[in-house]
Amino acid sequence: MKITLISVYPDLRSYGIRSISACLKQEGHDVDLIFLLREFTEKYAEKTMNDLVKLTKESDLVGITLMSNFWDLAVQITQKLKDNYDFPILWGGTHPTIRPEECLEHADMVAIGESEETLIELSRKMQNKQYYYDTTGMGFNDKGKIIVNKLRELPGSAKAEIKSLDQIPFQDYDYRSHFILNGEDIIKMDTEILKKHWDLVYMTQPTRGCPFACTFCVNNAYLAMHPHQKPIRKRSVDNIIMELKKAKDHIPFIRYVMFDDDAFFLMSLDEIGDFSKKYKEHIRIPLIITGATPSTLTKEKLSLLVDAGLTEMRMGIQTAGTSTKKLYKRPHTNQQVENAVRMVHSHKKLSGKYDIILDSPWDTDEDSIETLMFLSKLPTPFVLTLFSLVFFPGTDLYTKAKKEGLIKDDINDIYNKHYLHCKNTYLNKLFFLLNEYAFVGIGISPIIMFILTHKLTRKLHLHWFLRRVLKLLFPFFRYIGRSTRLSTRLYRVGKF
């Protein structure tokens, strides 16, 4: 079969669709990967759509991966292809998993959840011209009749056909069968084009699943979908190292390796010790880990990884507000978070990035101030990634917001809302100002933060003036910060 898989995301990582492509190629199918790099706020040009029509002319099946924010782009592509061809169009990814019926208003079929097994079964049935509307883990629009079949067992679980994640082939980085959006044109990938559009970060996932059910996160919905299955599944250390060795040989210009999973630190101390030894011996590329949590991070594990080459670590703090922690079901105390940050800070070769969520309609000023005061006490340097809360479908917060009338129209209020576009409030501006000062290793002291956020300061209208002074002084402090030893480690990391 000729199968075309399309990623609408703004970067080249797309782990899920690369894994699906590798599985389908292993089955003997002719698979093209097309990366239509685009922010979800921008539609594709007509020239791009016409190029896509030409590239998919011989396809027997076209698949599109999407999250909720990329709804409009997926609809645009689907409508264009349906105007020209009769081949079935499949949607997969987070949004079709959570809302299959909605997606089947546009797509012919949807893949629900982790879909390596699902797509193998579907492609075999289509290849053999068998009835495929009964495929587990899928939904279909059969001439207007909506069919949503039962969920499939998670890959790597006891009852699944793929009983170990080690059975899944390594993700597809064979750019000879890849295409990419370059301006308005879709062109064939080659080494130079890959270097131009790629951040040179090779991303993979040693584990799958998350043990937590934070109310703002889609993992909240995934856990509810599979209540009787073990959520965390791990690859073996040797399998991870083998993938990285092959990637290093195939793409010799990789600058960083990134583990972008939610549960890497749930690996045992022995597993992390084994991994660290082999990574240091065979890979020797700076390592980034994004899935740390305060309750799973330990000094022993972190020390082993830093020695192996860990240079950057990302951890979710989200909030320090007492009531907001309860709302988000964050299981970690502020003391645990502070201990974890100090643990990271104790390694001079390691930089820390921490996620914070702003713009919750249930937050009071006191909740935000509690978080600002907490962050001002943490050792610098560090970097904050500041998100604006989005009520993603399937999460507990979506249900709460819908019930309270905070969501009027899902497409405009959720799908088209950018999670990095925070509201222009005074307290939000303090978060961004704190981030600037923390980045250069200076920070804003708790005393100054107390003054900036105090009711009397704001009642006397001095807060904007004081913030302005700090803003004007920042270039001076940035110079001071860059000249100090502690902050220099941040400037060594390419992403900064």
Side-chain angles (χ1 to χ4, degrees):
M1 283 178 62
K2 176 68 175 181
I3 301 174
T4 301
L5 300 177
I6 301 170
S7 170
V8 295
Y9 302 140
D11 60 58
L12 283 169
R13 292 170 187 169
S14 297
Y15 180 83
I17 204 169
R18 287 183 184 274
S19 181
I20 297 291
S21 178
C23 290
L24 293 173
K25 284 184 175 182
Q26 186 171 267
E27 288 286 301
H29 300 297
D30 181 7
V31 183
D32 285 343
L33 268 180
I34 302 178
F35 297 93
L36 299 182
L37 310 183
R38 176 70 82 234
E39 287 292 342
F40 66 83
T41 52
E42 308 170 37
K43 288 289 188 74
Y44 293 112
E46 188 63 24
K47 173 64 167 61
T48 303
M49 292 292 93
N50 291 334
D51 283 357
L52 185 62
V53 169
K54 294 176 184 176
L55 282 172
T56 55
K57 183 179 180 180
E58 304 298 327
S59 299
D60 298 302
L61 174 67
V62 170
I64 304 170
T65 180
L66 68 146
M67 295 184 290
S68 299
N69 295 120
F70 294 85
W71 171 269
D72 284 347
L73 296 183
V75 170
Q76 181 188 8
I77 293 169
T78 301
Q79 289 176 341
K80 183 67 175 182
L81 295 180
K82 282 183 174 290
D83 288 343
N84 289 271
Y85 301 121
D86 293 325
F87 51 60
I89 297 178
L90 163 73
W91 284 11
T94 304
H95 194 75
T97 295
I98 301 301
R99 289 196 157 172
E101 292 89 353
E102 179 186 48
C103 294
L104 288 170
E105 295 173 8
H106 299 276
D108 299 298
M109 53 182 76
V110 295
I112 302 171
E114 299 173 27
S115 300
E116 285 88 355
E117 282 186 13
T118 302
L119 269 293
I120 290 171
E121 180 181 338
L122 175 70
S123 63
R124 287 174 181 173
K125 288 179 175 178
M126 292 182 71
Q127 177 83 26
N128 297 324
K129 302 188 184 307
Q130 296 174 331
Y131 181 82
Y132 54 74
Y133 289 97
D134 59 351
T135 305
T136 306
M138 291 199 69
F140 298 90
N141 186 331
D142 183 12
K143 300 176 183 178
K145 179 184 178 183
I146 302 301
I147 303 168
V148 179
N149 297 324
K150 69 177 183 178
L151 297 174
R152 186 178 290 269
E153 302 290 329
L154 293 170
S157 58
K159 295 182 180 179
E161 292 182 27
I162 298 175
K163 298 189 181 303
S164 167
L165 296 183
D166 288 1
Q167 295 174 241
I168 299 174
F170 303 139
Q171 54 182 321
D172 176 12
Y173 264 89
D174 182 8
Y175 50 79
R176 293 170 298 180
S177 61
H178 297 176
F179 297 82
I180 188 170
L181 181 61
N182 187 54
E184 294 185 357
D185 302 318
I186 303 176
I187 62 175
K188 189 76 178 288
M189 187 88 78
D190 60 27
T191 303
E192 294 307 311
I193 293 296
L194 180 61
K195 286 182 180 179
K196 176 183 176 182
H197 290 278
W198 191 35
D199 59 5
L200 307 183
V201 177
Y202 182 85
M203 186 270 279
T204 190
Q205 295 183 350
T207 69
R208 294 191 184 187
C210 180
F212 305 110
C214 303
T215 56
F216 55 81
C217 180
V218 73
N219 283 320
N220 175 248
Y222 287 168
L223 288 171
M225 291 169 65
H226 301 279
H228 304 299
Q229 295 187 53
K230 187 178 180 181
I232 306 304
R233 291 142 292 136
K234 300 184 290 187
R235 295 165 57 188
S236 69
V237 168
D238 287 341
N239 183 259
I240 299 166
I241 294 297
M242 188 184 302
E243 177 190 355
L244 297 179
K245 288 172 71 174
K246 288 192 174 183
K248 186 179 175 182
D249 291 341
H250 182 60
I251 316 171
F253 44 86
I254 294 172
R255 290 183 61 189
Y256 297 92
V257 171
M258 175 186 285
F259 288 169
D260 195 25
D261 54 355
D262 294 312
F264 181 75
F265 280 95
L266 283 177
M267 285 193 166
S268 69
L269 182 60
D270 287 343
E271 288 172 318
I272 286 184
D274 186 29
F275 166 80
S276 299
K277 178 182 177 181
K278 292 173 179 176
Y279 190 91
K280 186 176 182 179
E281 180 181 354
H282 298 290
I283 309 302
R284 297 185 300 278
I285 297 175
L287 176 64
I288 301 167
I289 297 177
T290 66
T293 63
S295 59
T296 59
L297 193 63
T298 68
K299 291 181 180 180
E300 294 80 7
K301 291 178 180 180
L302 192 59
S303 296
L304 288 168
L305 290 166
V306 170
D307 181 65
L310 178 64
T311 59
E312 179 186 322
M313 202 191 68
R314 177 178 167 187
M315 181 173 68
I317 295 177
Q318 316 310 353
T319 182
T322 304
S323 61
T324 311
K325 276 181 176 290
K326 292 179 181 177
L327 176 68
Y328 291 168
K329 292 185 180 178
R330 295 293 290 172
H332 318 106
T333 67
N334 286 349
Q335 188 60 58
Q336 284 179 303
V337 175
E338 182 178 345
N339 291 345
V341 172
R342 292 189 180 280
M343 204 183 301
V344 173
H345 184 262
S346 68
H347 294 276
K348 305 311 177 186
K349 296 180 180 180
L350 180 61
S351 61
K353 296 183 72 174
Y354 308 113
D355 295 348
I356 297 292
I357 297 177
L358 306 177
D359 298 337
S360 167
W362 301 286
D363 271 3
T364 63
D365 282 359
E366 287 70 25
D367 294 319
S368 298
I369 291 169
E370 194 174 355
T371 301
L372 282 166
M373 290 302 301
F374 173 77
L375 294 174
S376 70
K377 298 173 184 176
L378 299 180
T380 61
F382 59 79
V383 173
L384 299 177
T385 305
L386 300 167
F387 295 97
S388 181
L389 178 63
V390 179
F391 304 123
F392 286 113
T395 63
D396 285 354
L397 288 192
Y398 172 87
T399 303
K400 179 177 172 64
K402 194 77 171 179
K403 184 178 180 180
E404 296 181 12
L406 297 175
I407 302 170
K408 307 299 183 185
D409 173 59
D410 283 10
I411 292 178
N412 291 319
D413 295 344
I414 302 173
Y415 304 173
N416 292 337
K417 180 181 178 181
H418 205 297
Y419 47 82
L420 292 178
H421 291 176
C422 301
K423 292 180 180 178
N424 190 29
T425 67
Y426 171 70
L427 291 178
N428 278 2
K429 286 179 180 292
L430 288 187
F431 278 100
F432 283 94
L433 184 64
L434 173 62
N435 192 27
E436 290 181 294
Y437 272 84
F439 171 71
V440 299
I442 300 297
I444 296 177
S445 74
I447 294 175
I448 294 176
M449 186 61 72
F450 176 79
I451 295 171
L452 287 167
T453 57
H454 197 275
K455 288 182 179 180
L456 181 59
T457 308
R458 299 169 72 182
K459 184 177 181 179
L460 296 174
H461 303 289
L462 295 174
H463 55 300
W464 284 108
F465 170 75
L466 294 174
R467 177 191 166 275
R468 181 63 177 165
V469 170
L470 283 177
K471 191 73 176 173
L472 290 172
L473 289 174
F474 177 69
F476 168 73
F477 283 111
R478 179 174 56 195
Y479 172 78
I480 297 298
R482 283 179 171 174
S483 66
T484 62
R485 182 178 62 85
L486 282 176
S487 68
T488 55
R489 57 186 174 169
L490 283 169
Y491 296 97
R492 293 195 195 108
V493 180
K495 291 176 72 64
F496 296 136

